[in-house]
Structure formats: C-alpha cells, structure tokens
C-alpha cells in the first residue's frame, strides 16, 4: 500500500485517508514497546514534510515546533541538505566506512572546526561516537576519567544528558549514582527561594563548598558536565556570569568542564554555540542533533591535552555515517553563511516578549523563558495550589478519553513523562467543566481560572494568594520567585492537545512535564512565528477560559496550517463561532 497516494488530492476521500491514518496508529500501538513517548502525545502519521510543515496520512497539516527535538535546524527536507545527500549517493562513495578517513569526513571536520569557539578550535581533537548524543556523553565521561585518573562526575539538578547508563547517572532522575548533584540556578523556581543574581551566587558558593570541604563526601571529580540551557529540565538558561564562575571554579581545581551542546548547538540559542554567550571555552563539547543535518551523528570535541586514550578506547560500528556528515557540513555552512544564529536571537527575543504578554493575561502561565529559538512556557495552577484530588481526577478523565482508536488505556496515567493524548476530542470543554464544577474555580476575566470558591477551600489560601472571582488580578502572588505556583502538568497536556487540534506541534518538558517547549527550525519565517504564537495563544485561552465561542475572546490565526512555507500564500483563518468537528486536529490539506 502506498501511503503517500492516499493523501494526494483526488486519489482518496477523507474517509479513506482517515482509515489509513487510524490503521497505522493501531498497528503501532499493538507492535511497538511501551517506552515510546512522542507517539503517545502526537498521534499523527507524517508522510510528507517541508520546512516547518508536516502533512499526515489523514491529509492534515501541522506547523512543527518540535523539529526532531531540535535536530532539524533547517527544518524538514531543506534543499541544501537534500542536495548534499544526493551528491554523495550519486558519487558512488561508500556509505559505511567505520572510522576511515574520507573526503566527506574531512570536509565535515573542517567546517565544524570553523564554527568552534576560537579557544577550543585552535587546540582541538574530535572523536566520532555512536550516532546518538547519549553515546557522546558516555565518550566525554570516559575521556575525562582517562585523562584525570579520577572517576566521579559533577552534574546539575534538572539535567538531561541521555538514556544510556552513564548519561542517566548525570541526569535529573537518576538513582544510586556516582555523580554529585549541584544546584542549577533559575529564577522562577530558585532552589534557594531568591532567584536572580543572588540565587546564582548562592549556587556557585554551594559548588565551591562541595569541592573544597574535605568532609563534603564528594572527592575531586573527573569532570563537570552542564547544559548552557537546560532543555528537558524546563528551558532554563544558565546566567552568563554563573557559567563564567563555573569555568573559573573548574579551571582553578583542574577539573575538565564538559558543555553538553546536543540541543543548544548550531545557532539554536542565538549564538552558534550557547557557551559563546558567556565567553566560556569548555574543555569538552558534546555535539549531536543538528550537526547531522537531520541524520544521526554525534561527536565530542575536546582540548588535545586531554587525549589520553589508547586505540579503541571508544569505538562504534556506525561512527562513519557519510550521509550524515555530508548533510551536517551543508547545515553548518548554511547556518554560518546565512547568519541564522543572529536571526534566532532577534526573532526569539520578539517571540519571548509576546509570550510574556500572554503570561500577563492568563494566570495559568507562571513563567516564560528561553534563549533564541529555545523557548519554554511554564504552566501552573492559577489559584496558587494544586487542585483537590477529585478535580485532578476529572481533568485526567477528560484527557484519558482523548484519542479514539489510537489511544491505549493508561497512556495518560503518567503525566510526568511526555504527557498528552491524541487531541481528537474536545479536551478544553471537559477540562473547563472539571475546573468549574469539581475544583470550584470560576474562570472568566483577565485573571483566567484565578478565583477559588471559598466554600470549597476551607483550608484557606496559600500565603500570598488572594481569592477572587476570576477577574483581573484575581490570583496574585506577592513575590512569584519566592512563591512560585505549583506546576500543572494536566493543564500543560491539555494545552498541547489544543495546539495539536489547531495544527501546531509542541513538546512538553520540565521537572513535572508542565513546560510547553518551542523548538522551531532556524528557518522559521516571521509569518510562521506569528502563526505559532497565535495558535498557542488560542490553545491557552481554550484551556484557561473554556471553549472558544463560549465567553472567551477569540484570536484569529495569522497563518493557515496548510499554507505555512515561505513560498505559499498567506491565508488567515476566519474567527470561529464554535468548536471544530469532533476529531479534527488540524486543517485539511489542499
């Protein structure tokens, strides 16, 4: 069966396309492991993609703000990437060469070194690893352990470095590890309750104390690994001054500093490498995702004086991926030559500013943060405390019912993962009903779901939270950095599904899966950015105020889901007076 034929105009009616779509999802559910993640929250069957647009087997189109978890720096099927791949295929060059030298590899290394921070590029070695970023993390750990003769590692709370054993040890959810965990500075949920420069200073002092106190229980480590912006941890940028402090602390104590740039690299944060914002030159850089131009590739780049490895100390059958190297060379050069990092900085700043305006309007948005085109929107319980059990159960029940044949019992039971359902039912109506009827929230007004019914809150309001009727300023905190509102993974999952219904793909992340993450390609146009923000705003409104057309102000879309590439005409949506039909998750193609 040719899936692509079923979605081309005129070859099949919508019922046939829908049957193909549902059939593939059912077979995936029956055959694939319970470990799958994105497929649970995003039940789409991509058959074609270009730029920022994905088309599913059911004919619907979506704006992709996931971009392969940051892998697709240039979006889907960019012409320079396709040309580079075709050139290798047409040349007759071998596709599998282990770690042998080839012209394709030589060109990739040359371009990669051209982009590195000068302090590293002049004295660097590169090790090609297995094709995933987690293997590069493992390689970095092995390298610094071999170079220093020490074994322990320093990592930070909220970190995510991969899924293999050593990488998981250094990630935020680890158990029984040989990695010491340090506080990562952040404003909204500062571990010291102060935020800002003071919070970052306390975090740095804690790190110094752990290293210098002979009774801290942490012997001198082999290395420190950190993310310049924590991605899965909730899109938390490291303060530049703190990052410089970490560089100084590690340098003074002869501890190699490892920068995990798997997701932040290749222009994502507004600089080619995120460490460049602070002027820091790490000893080791872990690189993957975008460096392969959408194909699997992972390397570590490190100061040559650390190269204490013996031959074969780190190997892998698939570390000579010629197609990925060619695609990566084309991507690195395109980002550099077209100054896409600068573009990401400018556009990302504008998007953050607009999202901060949305946060001021809706109390369910606790914080907006990010750097460049790596943006996070933290969703919180507006009234300042988590809902009572029956209210949470109502929201969970509403989400459990989403998805039809593509769903599986229990898929939404654990919202601490990637969360979400299929978005095929009218999630917002059920969630809003649960909010109004089971939680005693009153909704409405600029405060969103801000008011609590005092009769249902006999225990009183949390410190700093004022009761209200859902109007402007209904639920406010005296100091949001010292009293951040509880994370709301259920509301975040509902927003994700409302985005999907509107033709927008977003990811959830953060400590409690309550952060809506935006990772658009660096080639996103101004029109597409406006469409992303509009659809996200509509989704937030749908969850916070109830179904569109039932009391909530409507925002018209600025771009049609089926017309989102640069070369396609702009066709704005018209205001809707009611819901989409049941099961409609995006606009029809064509």
């Amino acid at each position: 069966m040719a899936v692509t034929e079923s979605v081309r105009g005129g070859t099949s009616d919508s019922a046939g396309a829908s049957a193909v779509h549902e059939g593939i999802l059912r077979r995936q559910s029956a055959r694939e492991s319970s470990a799958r993640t994105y497929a649970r929250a995003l039940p789409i069957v991509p058959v074609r993609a270009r730029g920022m647009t994905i088309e599913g087997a059911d004919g619907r189109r979506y704006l992709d703000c996931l971009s392969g978890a940051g892998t697709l720096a240039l979006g889907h099927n960019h012409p320079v990437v396709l040309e580079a791949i075709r050139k290798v295929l047409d040349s007759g060059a071998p596709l599998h060469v282990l770690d042998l030298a080839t012209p394709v590899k030589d060109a990739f290394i040359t371009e990669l070194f051209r982009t590195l921070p000068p302090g590293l590029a002049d004295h660097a070695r590169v090790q090609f690893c297995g094709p995933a970023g987690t293997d590069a993390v493992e390689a970095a750990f092995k390298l610094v352990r071999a170079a220093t003769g020490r074994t322990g590692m320093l990592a930070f709370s909220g970190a995510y470095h991969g899924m293999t054993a050593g990488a998981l040890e250094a990630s935020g959810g680890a158990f029984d590890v040989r990695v010491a965990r340090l506080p990562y500075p952040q404003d909204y949920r500062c571990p010291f309750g102060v935020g800002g420069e003071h919070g970052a200073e306390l975090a740095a002092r804690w790190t110094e104390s752990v290293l210098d106190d002979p009774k801290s229980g942490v012997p001198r480590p082999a290395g420190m690994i950190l993310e310049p912006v924590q991605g899965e941890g909730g899109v938390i940028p490291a303060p530049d001054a703190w990052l410089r402090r970490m560089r100084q602390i590690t340098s003074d104590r002869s501890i190699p500093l490892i920068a995990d740039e798997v997701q932040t690299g290749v222009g994502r944060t507004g600089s080619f490498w995120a460490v460049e914002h602070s002027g820091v030159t790490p000893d080791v850089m872990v690189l993957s995702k975008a460096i392969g131009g959408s194909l699997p590739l992972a390397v570590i780049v490190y100061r040559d004086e650390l190269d204490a490895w013996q031959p074969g100390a780190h190997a892998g059958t698939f570390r000579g991926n010629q197609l990925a190297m060619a695609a990566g060379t084309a991507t690195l050069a395109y980002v550099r030559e077209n100054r896409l990092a600068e573009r990401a900085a400018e556009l990302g700043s504008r998007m953050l500013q607009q999202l901060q305006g949305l946060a001021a309007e809706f109390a369910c948005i606790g914080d907006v943060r990010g750097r460049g085109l790596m943006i996070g929107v933290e969703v919180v319980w507006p009234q300042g405390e988590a809902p009572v059990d029956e209210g949470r159960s109502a929201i969970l029940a509403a989400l459990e019912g989403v998805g039809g044949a593509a769903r599986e019992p229990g898929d939404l039971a654990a919202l601490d993962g990637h969360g979400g359902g299929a978005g095929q039912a009218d999630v917002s109506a059920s969630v809003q009903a649960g909010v109004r009827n089971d939680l005693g929230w009153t909704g409405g007004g600029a405060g969103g779901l801000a008011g609590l019914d005092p009769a249902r809150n006999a225990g009183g309001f949390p410190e700093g939270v004022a009761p209200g009727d859902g109007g402007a300023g209904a639920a406010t905190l005296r100091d949001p950095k010292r009293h951040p509102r509880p994370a709301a993974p259920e509301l975040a999952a509902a927003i994700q599904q409302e985005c999907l219904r509107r033709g927008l793909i977003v990811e959830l992340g953060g400590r409690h899966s309550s952060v809506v993450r935006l990772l658009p390609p660096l080639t996103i146009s101004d029109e597409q950015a406006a469409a992303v923000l509009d659809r996200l705003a509509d989704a937030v409104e749908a969850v916070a105020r109830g179904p569109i057309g039932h009391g909530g102000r409507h925002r018209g879309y600025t771009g049609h889901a089926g017309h989102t590439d640069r070369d396609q005409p702009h066709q704005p949506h018209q205001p809707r007076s009611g819901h989409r039909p049941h099961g409609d998750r995006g606009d029809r193609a064509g």
Side-chain angles (χ1 to χ4, degrees), residues 394-395 398 427-441 543 546-547:
I395 293 176
V427 177
S428 62
S430 300
V431 171
Q432 181 71 0
V435 164
R436 284 191 297 230
N437 298 331
D438 290 324
L439 302 186
W441 299 356
V543 172

Side-chain angles (χ1 to χ4, degrees), residues 358-550:
L358 189 69
E361 183 177 356
F362 292 104
C364 64
I365 298 180
D367 193 30
V368 175
R369 54 185 178 258
R371 201 157 202 174
L373 291 176
M374 191 172 182
I375 298 171
V377 177
E378 182 159 353
V379 182
V380 297
W381 292 110
Q383 82 286 12
E385 65 176 17
V388 293
D389 289 343
E390 63 266 26
R392 185 177 187 276
S393 297
I395 293 176
L396 284 170
L399 292 173
E400 279 285 1
V402 172
R407 301 298 309 137
E408 300 167 50
D411 271 3
L412 267 295
L415 285 169
D416 58 341
H418 288 262
Q424 293 177 329
D426 190 349
V427 177
S428 62
S430 300
V431 171
Q432 181 71 0
V435 164
R436 284 191 297 230
N437 298 331
D438 290 324
L439 302 186
W441 299 356
T442 55
L449 305 175
L452 276 174
D453 182 351
R456 300 199 53 144
N457 195 50
F461 292 86
E463 181 184 357
V465 179
D469 62 358
T476 59
L477 293 173
R478 286 195 291 267
D479 184 349
K481 291 181 180 178
R482 300 192 66 178
H483 300 280
R485 286 169 280 168
E490 295 88 349
L491 294 185
I495 289 171
Q496 183 187 44
Q497 300 316 308
E498 289 295 333
C499 284
L500 196 63
R501 293 180 65 234
R502 288 157 174 78
L504 175 64
I505 296 172
V506 297
E507 183 183 13
L508 299 184
R511 266 68 162 180
H512 305 282
S513 290
S514 61
V515 177
V516 177
R517 301 181 60 202
L518 302 180
L519 290 167
L522 308 186
T523 53
I524 181 175
S525 67
D526 287 347
E527 181 187 54
Q528 289 171 331
V532 167
L533 296 178
D534 232 4
R535 296 176 195 197
L536 177 58
D538 257 0
V540 170
E541 185 174 44
V543 172
R545 292 183 175 174
I548 293 175
H550 289 75

Side-chain angles (χ1 to χ4, degrees), residues 124-144:
R125 294 291 182 96
V126 60
Q127 167 70 23
F128 287 82
C129 308
T134 188
D135 186 69
V137 170
E138 299 281 357
F141 290 175
K142 289 169 66 175
L143 174 74
V144 297

Side-chain angles (χ1 to χ4, degrees), residues 69-70 231-232 260-265 268 289 374 507 517 519:
E232 295 296 329
D260 183 340
E261 292 255 18
V262 168
Q263 190 167 89
T264 56
R268 168 64 55 190
K289 291 191 186 292
M374 191 172 182
E507 183 183 13
R517 301 181 60 202
L519 290 167

